[in-house]
Amino acid sequence: FTGRGAIGLEALSRGEASVTFLEQDRAVSAQLKKNLRVLQTQQALVITVDSLRWLAQPGNVFDVVFIDPPFLPGMITATVAILEQYQRLADEAWMYMETATEDPTPAGPTARQLYREKFPLKVAYRLYRYSRHVTLEK
C-alpha cells in the first residue's frame, strides 16, 4: 500500500535505517524506484507485490509499520491479523493506521495499545504500540 511513498520517504529523510515499500501497481513501483535513484538512497527496498500475500509468509520483522490500504471493508483488520500471525512485528513495534472515519476500530492483535487517534474530515488516524509478550488493554 505504498502509494506515492511519501511516508516512507519522510522516514528515510529523518534517519530511518531502512524502509521496505510494498506496492502492487507496477507503474507506481517504477516511479518510486526512479525517485529513490534520484535521491541516491540505498536504504530502501521497493517490492512490487500484493502486500497481504507478501506479508503472509515468514520474513522481515518490522519496528514501525504504516498501514494505509484502500478503504475496503476488512482490509485493515486482515493486514493487522497477518502481521501478527506471521510474526512480522517486533516487540514494542509501532503501527500507524489510516481508515475511513466511519470504520470501526480495526480488530487485530490483543497485544496492542492505542497511543493516539485523530478523526479529521473523512480519515481516522490511529497509532498503536504492539507487544507480543504482554496482552495490553485496548
Side-chain angles (χ1 to χ4, degrees):
F1 320 122
T2 295
R4 291 183 224 134
I7 294 175
L9 293 170
E10 180 69 17
L12 287 170
S13 76
R14 293 179 181 254
E16 192 63 42
S18 67
V19 174
T20 302
F21 296 95
L22 304 177
E23 176 57 52
Q24 186 170 335
D25 187 295
R26 291 186 188 283
V28 172
S29 287
Q31 183 62 52
L32 183 56
K33 288 176 184 178
K34 181 179 176 183
N35 293 345
L36 291 166
R37 280 192 300 275
V38 169
L39 295 172
Q40 299 179 348
T41 182
Q42 302 299 316
Q43 295 94 337
L45 176 62
V46 178
I47 303 171
T48 307
V49 68
D50 176 288
S51 298
L52 295 181
R53 282 192 182 157
W54 189 84
L55 290 169
Q57 58 188 335
N60 301 20
V61 175
F62 300 101
D63 296 314
V64 179
V65 179
F66 293 96
I67 309 169
D68 183 13
F71 290 174
L72 301 173
M75 184 66 81
I76 282 279
T77 299
T79 303
V80 172
I82 286 171
L83 286 166
E84 183 177 60
Q85 179 182 352
Y86 290 91
Q87 299 180 0
R88 295 302 204 114
L89 299 169
D91 193 37
E92 301 301 318
W94 289 96
M95 290 188 296
Y96 172 84
M97 301 176 202
E98 290 186 12
T99 63
T101 303
E102 64 272 6
D103 287 351
T105 301
T110 56
R112 66 180 165 144
Q113 183 175 33
L114 181 64
Y115 180 75
R116 184 173 292 158
E117 65 183 343
K118 291 187 179 186
F119 301 92
L121 302 174
K122 296 183 179 193
V123 178
Y125 304 99
R126 293 182 178 93
L127 180 62
Y128 292 92
R129 187 71 176 203
Y130 172 82
S131 176
R132 73 174 65 186
H133 300 294
V134 179
T135 300
L136 303 169
E137 296 295 320
K138 284 188 177 180

